[in-house]
């Protein structure tokens, strides 16, 4: 499951051929096809038609996708066809033949250099991807009774991790989740992302409440800022806790856009206390206020970063996430992965592109229906 998710994420961010990716398969066809077509045309047309000069293009084309040995084979074939007496393929002079020979030798050198460069790029990309996946690994399909799916798009091309982060872990009181957005974006913010995720994964194991988790994250950024010259690290974040002992959700917001609740075809932006961002050193002194929400079967939750909420189209209009989500969620009842993919596709259709890191984290809850019905049937003390 993790390998499939990793491969899917890698495919979505695969750079183009001109940016270091291996050449596509169709690039291997022009050299042999050009050799064959020129030979057939030249042998079937009058001697007054001379297309043999085009054979000089065969070695450079081969160098684009073949190794040095195959390029030497194509170059040697082109030179041989030009120099065979009585074959009738053009009437090259000695200077023409020497020119094609020189181009073929130069193409062999280019093919050798390109092959070595491609091998080095593959090694570097493999190491870089492994490091980035270690920072932000793919989410499992479920953590306890909580089904989840995350979608991440880094603003910097060719990278898998930027300035946004999310994680879902089993804690001491239930399933805990983090969605955050650190100062800056791209590779410059990856160090801060790694520090926050490491602190979160430790805090969920021993902190009794979300305020304690927020304080631990805040302390991590404060310490890192003190150790770096002229560094002012801060991050917005929202912390979630799906309780084990009751069908309820606890939320702590640290300056982050509030989560969206999808219930019965209605999208509601949850009201949370807007706490201070992490890294200001006040989470331990004045902890953010925790909000509790009673959950029902088929409730879904979506948390995003400001790369979604602040995205604009060509006219300057912000992406209307709550309104669009109400339309998208009609046919996506219990599939968090489909929900995040649909939001991303709709965002791209609305904006055409985004200039900031984007993270979406969706939850679908497998609640105990009997427990929920028992809670609903409890008598109202005021009746």
């Amino acid at each position: 499951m993790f390998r499939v998710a990793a491969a899917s994420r890698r495919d979505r961010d695969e750079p183009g051929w001109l940016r270091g990716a291996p050449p596509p398969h169709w690039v291997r066809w022009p050299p042999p096809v050009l050799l064959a077509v020129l030979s057939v045309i030249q042998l079937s047309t009058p001697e007054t038609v001379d297309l043999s000069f085009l054979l000089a293009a065969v070695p450079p084309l081969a160098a684009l996708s073949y190794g040095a040995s195959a390029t030497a084979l194509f170059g040697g074939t082109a030179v041989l066809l030009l120099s065979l007496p009585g074959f009738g393929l053009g009437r090259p002079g000695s200077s023409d033949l020497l020119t094609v020979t020189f181009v073929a030798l130069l193409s062999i050198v280019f093919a050798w250099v390109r092959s070595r460069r491609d091998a080095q790029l593959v090694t570097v990309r493999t190491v870089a991807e492994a490091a980035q996946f270690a920072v932000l690994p793919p989410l499992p399909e479920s953590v306890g009774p909580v089904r989840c799916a995350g979608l991440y798009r880094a603003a910097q091309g060719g990278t898998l991790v930027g300035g946004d982060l999310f994680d879902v872990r089993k804690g001491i009181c239930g399933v805990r989740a983090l969605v955050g957005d650190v100062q800056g974006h791209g590779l410059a913010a990856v160090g801060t992302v790694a520090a926050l995720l490491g602190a979160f994964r430790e805090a969920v194991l021993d902190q009794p409440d979300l305020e304690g988790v927020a304080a631990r994250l805040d302390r991590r950024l404060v310490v890192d800022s003190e150790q770096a010259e002229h560094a002012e690290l801060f991050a917005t974040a929202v912390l979630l806790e799906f309780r084990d002992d009751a069908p309820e959700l606890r939320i702590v917001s640290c300056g982050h856009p509030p989560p969206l609740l999808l219930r019965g075809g209605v999208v509601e932006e949850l009201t949370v206390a807007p706490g201070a961002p992490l890294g200001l050193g006040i989470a331990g002194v004045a902890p953010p206020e925790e909000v509790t929400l009673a959950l029902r079967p088929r409730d879904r939750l979506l948390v995003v970063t400001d790369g979604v909420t602040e995205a604009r189209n060509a006219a300057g209009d912000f992406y209307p996430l709550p309104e669009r989500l109400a339309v998208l969620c009609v046919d996506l009842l219990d599939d968090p992965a489909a929900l995040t993919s649909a939001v991303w596709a709709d965002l791209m259709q609305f904006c055409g592109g985004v200039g900031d890191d984007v993270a979406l984290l969706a939850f679908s809850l497998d609640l105990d229906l009997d427990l929920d019905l028992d809670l609903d049937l409890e008598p109202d003390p005021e009746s």
Side-chain angles (χ1 to χ4, degrees):
M1 178 180 62
F2 287 101
R3 291 180 180 177
V4 172
S8 175
R9 186 167 153 201
R10 184 185 300 111
D11 292 341
R12 290 194 300 262
D13 296 280
E14 189 75 29
W17 171 33
L18 299 180
R19 296 184 179 180
H25 292 295
W26 62 264
V27 181
R28 302 177 68 87
W29 286 103
V33 170
L34 184 60
L35 272 176
V37 170
L38 287 178
S39 299
V40 171
I41 292 177
Q42 193 66 65
L43 293 176
S44 61
T45 54
E47 293 185 359
T48 55
V49 179
D50 186 7
L51 299 178
S52 58
F53 67 94
L54 292 176
L55 287 175
V58 172
L61 287 175
L64 289 175
S65 56
Y66 288 93
S69 300
T71 302
L73 178 62
F74 282 112
T77 303
V79 173
L80 182 63
L81 290 176
L82 288 173
S83 59
L84 278 178
F87 190 68
L89 188 61
R91 300 172 301 282
S94 59
S95 61
D96 297 331
L97 190 60
L98 287 175
T99 300
V100 175
T101 302
F102 175 76
V103 170
L105 293 175
L106 196 61
S107 298
I108 295 172
V109 175
F110 287 160
W112 179 78
V113 172
R114 182 195 58 78
S115 298
R116 289 180 61 87
R117 186 211 64 172
D118 288 350
Q120 184 178 18
L121 284 176
V122 169
T123 301
V124 171
R125 288 185 59 203
T126 302
V127 173
E129 288 178 356
Q132 293 179 88
F133 278 119
V135 173
L136 194 69
L139 294 177
E141 293 182 358
S142 61
V143 180
V146 180
R147 296 176 59 200
C148 55
L151 184 144
Y152 198 109
R153 294 293 185 274
Q156 185 169 343
T159 61
L160 304 177
V161 180
D164 291 353
L165 64 147
F166 56 67
D167 202 1
V168 183
R169 298 278 165 164
K170 189 76 171 73
I172 57 177
C173 301
V175 176
R176 290 175 171 176
L178 164 69
V179 178
D181 184 0
V182 308
Q183 174 190 14
H185 61 267
L187 291 177
V190 173
T192 308
V193 168
L196 279 177
L197 287 173
F200 171 75
R201 290 161 186 167
E202 289 294 326
V204 297
L205 299 177
D206 53 30
Q207 291 298 314
D209 50 40
L210 292 182
E211 291 92 334
V213 177
R216 184 76 64 85
L217 300 180
D218 180 72
R219 186 183 66 179
R220 177 74 272 165
L221 291 184
V222 170
V223 171
D224 289 349
S225 295
E226 293 174 348
Q227 294 177 351
E229 185 177 1
H230 305 301
E232 296 179 358
L233 303 178
F234 66 89
T236 65
V238 60
L239 293 161
L240 311 174
E241 182 178 72
F242 300 89
R243 300 287 296 182
D244 283 337
D245 54 0
E248 66 180 26
L249 170 68
R250 297 183 180 180
I251 308 170
V252 163
S253 177
C254 301
H256 198 82
L260 297 174
L261 175 66
L262 291 70
R263 175 178 289 172
V266 178
V267 177
E268 176 187 357
E269 188 176 89
L270 297 179
T271 302
V272 296
L278 302 171
L280 302 182
I282 64 175
V285 179
E289 182 180 345
E290 184 180 272
V291 176
T292 301
L293 171 70
L295 296 174
R296 301 176 185 175
R298 288 186 173 272
D299 276 356
R300 286 160 292 160
L301 205 71
L302 180 68
V303 189
V304 302
T305 57
D306 61 8
V308 177
T309 57
E310 297 181 1
R312 303 190 186 201
N313 61 10
D317 301 322
F318 287 103
Y319 177 63
L321 178 59
E323 292 82 358
R324 297 301 304 155
L325 192 58
V327 177
L328 295 173
C329 71
V330 173
D331 299 324
L332 303 172
L333 294 179
D334 297 307
D335 191 345
L339 179 60
T340 56
S341 297
V343 172
W344 171 252
D346 190 66
L347 176 66
M348 289 296 96
Q349 183 178 4
F350 181 87
C351 300
V354 292
D356 196 2
D357 300 318
V358 169
L360 304 95
L361 189 58
F363 301 93
S364 178
L365 312 177
D366 295 331
L367 296 177
D368 188 337
L369 294 178
D370 294 335
L371 176 60
D372 186 77
L373 289 175
D374 291 341
L375 292 175
D376 291 340
L377 292 176
E378 287 181 358
D380 189 345
E382 297 181 358
S383 60

